[in-house]
Tab-separated table of all heavy atoms in Angstrom:
chain	number	residue	atom	x	y	z
A	916	LYS	N	11.958	22.714	-8.312
A	916	LYS	CA	10.676	22.621	-7.609
A	916	LYS	C	9.860	23.885	-7.851
A	916	LYS	O	10.351	24.988	-7.699
A	916	LYS	CB	10.897	22.438	-6.110
A	916	LYS	CG	9.610	22.221	-5.357
A	916	LYS	CD	9.901	22.007	-3.886
A	916	LYS	CE	8.632	21.838	-3.095
A	916	LYS	NZ	7.727	22.972	-3.163
A	917	GLU	N	8.634	23.689	-8.242
A	917	GLU	CA	7.749	24.834	-8.463
A	917	GLU	C	7.241	25.355	-7.127
A	917	GLU	O	7.125	24.612	-6.157
A	917	GLU	CB	6.595	24.424	-9.372
A	917	GLU	CG	7.095	24.036	-10.742
A	917	GLU	CD	5.993	23.970	-11.760
A	917	GLU	OE1	4.829	24.210	-11.416
A	917	GLU	OE2	6.328	23.681	-12.913
A	918	GLU	N	6.935	26.626	-7.091
A	918	GLU	CA	6.584	27.305	-5.854
A	918	GLU	C	5.397	26.677	-5.123
A	918	GLU	O	5.439	26.473	-3.918
A	918	GLU	CB	6.269	28.770	-6.174
A	918	GLU	CG	6.611	29.709	-5.059
A	918	GLU	CD	6.460	31.136	-5.495
A	918	GLU	OE1	7.210	31.553	-6.398
A	918	GLU	OE2	5.578	31.808	-4.932
A	919	ASN	N	4.351	26.358	-5.833
A	919	ASN	CA	3.136	25.847	-5.188
A	919	ASN	C	3.023	24.321	-5.240
A	919	ASN	O	1.984	23.765	-4.921
A	919	ASN	CB	1.904	26.489	-5.828
A	919	ASN	CG	1.821	26.217	-7.319
A	919	ASN	OD1	2.753	25.667	-7.906
A	919	ASN	ND2	0.725	26.591	-7.928
A	920	GLU	N	4.083	23.636	-5.612
A	920	GLU	CA	4.070	22.176	-5.738
A	920	GLU	C	4.440	21.527	-4.401
A	920	GLU	O	5.384	21.951	-3.741
A	920	GLU	CB	5.071	21.757	-6.822
A	920	GLU	CG	5.057	20.309	-7.169
A	920	GLU	CD	5.968	19.989	-8.345
A	920	GLU	OE1	6.933	20.728	-8.588
A	920	GLU	OE2	5.685	18.987	-9.020
A	921	THR	N	3.693	20.514	-4.001
A	921	THR	CA	4.028	19.820	-2.761
A	921	THR	C	5.298	19.000	-2.955
A	921	THR	O	5.638	18.614	-4.072
A	921	THR	CB	2.897	18.870	-2.305
A	921	THR	OG1	2.784	17.818	-3.254
A	921	THR	CG2	1.581	19.603	-2.138
A	922	LEU	N	5.985	18.738	-1.868
A	922	LEU	CA	7.226	17.978	-1.929
A	922	LEU	C	6.987	16.564	-2.443
A	922	LEU	O	7.767	16.040	-3.242
A	922	LEU	CB	7.882	17.940	-0.544
A	922	LEU	CG	9.297	17.414	-0.481
A	922	LEU	CD1	10.222	18.209	-1.381
A	922	LEU	CD2	9.792	17.438	0.942
A	923	VAL	N	5.885	15.965	-2.037
A	923	VAL	CA	5.563	14.603	-2.466
A	923	VAL	C	5.339	14.557	-3.979
A	923	VAL	O	5.887	13.690	-4.674
A	923	VAL	CB	4.331	14.063	-1.705
A	923	VAL	CG1	3.863	12.747	-2.282
A	923	VAL	CG2	4.647	13.918	-0.229
A	924	SER	N	4.551	15.481	-4.501
A	924	SER	CA	4.286	15.463	-5.949
A	924	SER	C	5.551	15.825	-6.735
A	924	SER	O	5.776	15.293	-7.825
A	924	SER	CB	3.127	16.381	-6.315
A	924	SER	OG	3.447	17.722	-6.080
A	925	PHE	N	6.385	16.703	-6.191
A	925	PHE	CA	7.636	17.057	-6.854
A	925	PHE	C	8.567	15.852	-6.952
A	925	PHE	O	9.112	15.565	-8.014
A	925	PHE	CB	8.321	18.205	-6.099
A	925	PHE	CG	9.699	18.520	-6.588
A	925	PHE	CD1	9.913	18.968	-7.881
A	925	PHE	CD2	10.792	18.377	-5.757
A	925	PHE	CE1	11.194	19.265	-8.339
A	925	PHE	CE2	12.066	18.666	-6.197
A	925	PHE	CZ	12.270	19.120	-7.489
A	926	LYS	N	8.728	15.122	-5.855
A	926	LYS	CA	9.598	13.942	-5.865
A	926	LYS	C	9.055	12.866	-6.801
A	926	LYS	O	9.815	12.205	-7.507
A	926	LYS	CB	9.773	13.382	-4.456
A	926	LYS	CG	10.708	14.206	-3.618
A	926	LYS	CD	10.953	13.550	-2.275
A	926	LYS	CE	12.039	14.259	-1.524
A	926	LYS	NZ	12.383	13.571	-0.289
A	927	LYS	N	7.746	12.719	-6.833
A	927	LYS	CA	7.141	11.733	-7.730
A	927	LYS	C	7.368	12.133	-9.187
A	927	LYS	O	7.682	11.295	-10.034
A	927	LYS	CB	5.648	11.606	-7.430
A	927	LYS	CG	4.980	10.516	-8.206
A	927	LYS	CD	3.556	10.301	-7.751
A	927	LYS	CE	2.972	9.124	-8.500
A	927	LYS	NZ	1.719	8.686	-7.941
A	928	ARG	N	7.227	13.416	-9.485
A	928	ARG	CA	7.451	13.902	-10.845
A	928	ARG	C	8.921	13.733	-11.243
A	928	ARG	O	9.226	13.327	-12.373
A	928	ARG	CB	7.030	15.366	-10.959
A	928	ARG	CG	6.998	15.879	-12.373
A	928	ARG	CD	6.183	17.148	-12.507
A	928	ARG	NE	6.687	18.235	-11.713
A	928	ARG	CZ	7.372	19.273	-12.226
A	928	ARG	NH1	7.610	19.340	-13.504
A	928	ARG	NH2	7.776	20.239	-11.443
A	929	LEU	N	9.844	13.994	-10.305
A	929	LEU	CA	11.269	13.769	-10.562
A	929	LEU	C	11.530	12.303	-10.898
A	929	LEU	O	12.224	11.983	-11.856
A	929	LEU	CB	12.099	14.134	-9.331
A	929	LEU	CG	12.683	15.525	-9.208
A	929	LEU	CD1	13.392	15.677	-7.875
A	929	LEU	CD2	13.607	15.866	-10.340
A	930	GLN	N	10.954	11.424	-10.082
A	930	GLN	CA	11.173	9.993	-10.280
A	930	GLN	C	10.582	9.523	-11.617
A	930	GLN	O	11.228	8.789	-12.361
A	930	GLN	CB	10.579	9.202	-9.129
A	930	GLN	CG	10.874	7.719	-9.216
A	930	GLN	CD	10.387	6.965	-7.997
A	930	GLN	OE1	9.407	7.343	-7.366
A	930	GLN	NE2	11.072	5.900	-7.659
A	931	ASN	N	9.378	9.955	-11.933
A	931	ASN	CA	8.747	9.560	-13.199
A	931	ASN	C	9.529	10.090	-14.403
A	931	ASN	O	9.679	9.398	-15.406
A	931	ASN	CB	7.301	10.042	-13.254
A	931	ASN	CG	6.410	9.262	-12.317
A	931	ASN	OD1	6.712	8.149	-11.941
A	931	ASN	ND2	5.307	9.882	-11.916
A	932	PHE	N	10.025	11.318	-14.292
A	932	PHE	CA	10.832	11.891	-15.367
A	932	PHE	C	12.121	11.088	-15.542
A	932	PHE	O	12.541	10.803	-16.659
A	932	PHE	CB	11.157	13.355	-15.050
A	932	PHE	CG	11.883	14.071	-16.149
A	932	PHE	CD1	11.195	14.609	-17.220
A	932	PHE	CD2	13.265	14.215	-16.112
A	932	PHE	CE1	11.863	15.279	-18.238
A	932	PHE	CE2	13.942	14.874	-17.124
A	932	PHE	CZ	13.240	15.409	-18.189
A	933	ALA	N	12.737	10.714	-14.433
A	933	ALA	CA	13.979	9.931	-14.486
A	933	ALA	C	13.750	8.571	-15.132
A	933	ALA	O	14.553	8.121	-15.950
A	933	ALA	CB	14.545	9.759	-13.080
A	934	ILE	N	12.664	7.931	-14.799
A	934	ILE	CA	12.346	6.624	-15.380
A	934	ILE	C	12.076	6.778	-16.878
A	934	ILE	O	12.583	6.001	-17.686
A	934	ILE	CB	11.157	5.982	-14.653
A	934	ILE	CG1	11.586	5.563	-13.238
A	934	ILE	CG2	10.620	4.784	-15.427
A	934	ILE	CD1	10.438	5.183	-12.326
A	935	ALA	N	11.298	7.780	-17.237
A	935	ALA	CA	10.972	8.003	-18.645
A	935	ALA	C	12.213	8.306	-19.477
A	935	ALA	O	12.277	7.954	-20.656
A	935	ALA	CB	9.962	9.142	-18.776
A	936	ASN	N	13.203	8.938	-18.863
A	936	ASN	CA	14.429	9.294	-19.575
A	936	ASN	C	15.584	8.342	-19.267
A	936	ASN	O	16.728	8.633	-19.620
A	936	ASN	CB	14.825	10.739	-19.237
A	936	ASN	CG	13.907	11.730	-19.896
A	936	ASN	OD1	14.028	11.998	-21.075
A	936	ASN	ND2	12.946	12.240	-19.143
A	937	ARG	N	15.263	7.232	-18.614
A	937	ARG	CA	16.229	6.164	-18.330
A	937	ARG	C	17.461	6.628	-17.564
A	937	ARG	O	18.587	6.262	-17.873
A	937	ARG	CB	16.630	5.441	-19.609
A	937	ARG	CG	15.458	4.794	-20.299
A	937	ARG	CD	15.861	4.141	-21.588
A	937	ARG	NE	14.693	3.633	-22.276
A	937	ARG	CZ	14.352	2.353	-22.325
A	937	ARG	NH1	15.081	1.454	-21.731
A	937	ARG	NH2	13.283	1.984	-22.976
A	938	PHE	N	17.227	7.456	-16.548
A	938	PHE	CA	18.325	7.878	-15.674
A	938	PHE	C	18.625	6.755	-14.693
A	938	PHE	O	17.716	6.039	-14.262
A	938	PHE	CB	17.935	9.099	-14.840
A	938	PHE	CG	17.842	10.400	-15.594
A	938	PHE	CD1	18.043	10.488	-16.957
A	938	PHE	CD2	17.546	11.559	-14.908
A	938	PHE	CE1	17.948	11.694	-17.625
A	938	PHE	CE2	17.452	12.770	-15.560
A	938	PHE	CZ	17.654	12.840	-16.919
A	939	ALA	N	19.883	6.647	-14.304
A	939	ALA	CA	20.248	5.734	-13.228
A	939	ALA	C	19.737	6.333	-11.912
A	939	ALA	O	19.582	7.552	-11.802
A	939	ALA	CB	21.761	5.580	-13.169
A	940	ARG	N	19.448	5.489	-10.953
A	940	ARG	CA	19.029	5.919	-9.610
A	940	ARG	C	17.819	6.869	-9.616
A	940	ARG	O	17.877	7.965	-9.063
A	940	ARG	CB	20.207	6.558	-8.877
A	940	ARG	CG	21.342	5.615	-8.700
A	940	ARG	CD	22.649	6.204	-8.240
A	940	ARG	NE	22.577	7.376	-7.425
A	940	ARG	CZ	23.629	8.122	-7.126
A	940	ARG	NH1	24.813	7.792	-7.574
A	940	ARG	NH2	23.507	9.186	-6.379
A	941	PRO	N	16.713	6.474	-10.215
A	941	PRO	CA	15.563	7.378	-10.315
A	941	PRO	C	14.937	7.747	-8.968
A	941	PRO	O	14.265	8.772	-8.879
A	941	PRO	CB	14.571	6.615	-11.187
A	941	PRO	CG	14.954	5.191	-11.042
A	941	PRO	CD	16.445	5.185	-10.841
A	942	ALA	N	15.173	6.958	-7.931
A	942	ALA	CA	14.586	7.258	-6.624
A	942	ALA	C	15.406	8.282	-5.837
A	942	ALA	O	14.960	8.756	-4.798
A	942	ALA	CB	14.438	5.980	-5.806
A	943	HIS	N	16.576	8.624	-6.309
A	943	HIS	CA	17.449	9.574	-5.618
A	943	HIS	C	17.214	10.965	-6.196
A	943	HIS	O	17.785	11.348	-7.210
A	943	HIS	CB	18.906	9.136	-5.786
A	943	HIS	CG	19.835	9.805	-4.844
A	943	HIS	ND1	20.292	11.082	-5.057
A	943	HIS	CD2	20.377	9.379	-3.690
A	943	HIS	CE1	21.091	11.413	-4.072
A	943	HIS	NE2	21.170	10.395	-3.228
A	944	ALA	N	16.353	11.727	-5.528
A	944	ALA	CA	15.875	13.001	-6.062
A	944	ALA	C	16.994	14.003	-6.337
A	944	ALA	O	16.985	14.673	-7.377
A	944	ALA	CB	14.852	13.607	-5.114
A	945	ALA	N	17.958	14.120	-5.440
A	945	ALA	CA	19.043	15.088	-5.640
A	945	ALA	C	19.894	14.713	-6.846
A	945	ALA	O	20.297	15.581	-7.629
A	945	ALA	CB	19.902	15.183	-4.385
A	946	TYR	N	20.149	13.426	-7.027
A	946	TYR	CA	20.918	12.958	-8.184
A	946	TYR	C	20.166	13.264	-9.480
A	946	TYR	O	20.750	13.761	-10.443
A	946	TYR	CB	21.185	11.456	-8.062
A	946	TYR	CG	21.817	10.859	-9.297
A	946	TYR	CD1	23.173	10.977	-9.542
A	946	TYR	CD2	21.039	10.185	-10.234
A	946	TYR	CE1	23.747	10.449	-10.694
A	946	TYR	CE2	21.600	9.651	-11.384
A	946	TYR	CZ	22.960	9.783	-11.604
A	946	TYR	OH	23.517	9.264	-12.741
A	947	VAL	N	18.879	12.980	-9.490
A	947	VAL	CA	18.061	13.222	-10.686
A	947	VAL	C	18.039	14.714	-11.015
A	947	VAL	O	18.201	15.108	-12.174
A	947	VAL	CB	16.630	12.671	-10.497
A	947	VAL	CG1	15.728	13.101	-11.649
A	947	VAL	CG2	16.655	11.160	-10.373
A	948	ALA	N	17.891	15.557	-10.004
A	948	ALA	CA	17.887	17.005	-10.225
A	948	ALA	C	19.219	17.457	-10.817
A	948	ALA	O	19.249	18.266	-11.754
A	948	ALA	CB	17.611	17.741	-8.921
A	949	ASP	N	20.326	16.932	-10.301
A	949	ASP	CA	21.641	17.268	-10.851
A	949	ASP	C	21.752	16.862	-12.316
A	949	ASP	O	22.261	17.608	-13.136
A	949	ASP	CB	22.761	16.586	-10.058
A	949	ASP	CG	23.065	17.278	-8.751
A	949	ASP	OD1	22.618	18.428	-8.565
A	949	ASP	OD2	23.762	16.670	-7.918
A	950	ARG	N	21.285	15.668	-12.637
A	950	ARG	CA	21.359	15.176	-14.026
A	950	ARG	C	20.504	16.040	-14.955
A	950	ARG	O	20.907	16.327	-16.079
A	950	ARG	CB	20.911	13.716	-14.114
A	950	ARG	CG	21.820	12.736	-13.437
A	950	ARG	CD	23.211	12.676	-14.043
A	950	ARG	NE	23.136	12.164	-15.392
A	950	ARG	CZ	24.051	12.396	-16.336
A	950	ARG	NH1	25.107	13.104	-16.079
A	950	ARG	NH2	23.910	11.899	-17.548
A	951	ILE	N	19.339	16.451	-14.499
A	951	ILE	CA	18.463	17.299	-15.319
A	951	ILE	C	19.178	18.606	-15.653
A	951	ILE	O	19.176	19.051	-16.800
A	951	ILE	CB	17.115	17.555	-14.605
A	951	ILE	CG1	16.306	16.265	-14.574
A	951	ILE	CG2	16.340	18.677	-15.290
A	951	ILE	CD1	15.070	16.325	-13.695
A	952	ILE	N	19.827	19.200	-14.657
A	952	ILE	CA	20.553	20.447	-14.871
A	952	ILE	C	21.758	20.208	-15.783
A	952	ILE	O	21.982	20.956	-16.737
A	952	ILE	CB	21.009	21.057	-13.528
A	952	ILE	CG1	19.809	21.404	-12.646
A	952	ILE	CG2	21.908	22.273	-13.753
A	952	ILE	CD1	18.945	22.536	-13.120
């Protein structure tokens, strides 16, 4: 999460990134963050 980014826009960006990269469970923000790392 970027310092000045709102939580809503961060979660939306996580979800969109997950969908674009075909991650399972794109709506689960913590899971997506773990997969990115």
Side-chain angles (χ1 to χ4, degrees):
K916 185 178 178 300
E917 296 195 359
E918 211 172 296
N919 59 352
E920 187 174 25
T921 66
L922 191 57
V923 171
S924 66
F925 172 63
K926 284 185 171 186
K927 186 172 184 168
R928 190 162 60 104
L929 267 177
Q930 185 175 30
N931 288 337
F932 185 82
I934 290 168
N936 287 282
R937 300 177 185 256
F938 288 2
R940 299 168 29 191
H943 195 281
Y946 173 80
V947 172
D949 282 346
R950 293 297 295 156
I951 290 170
I952 298 291

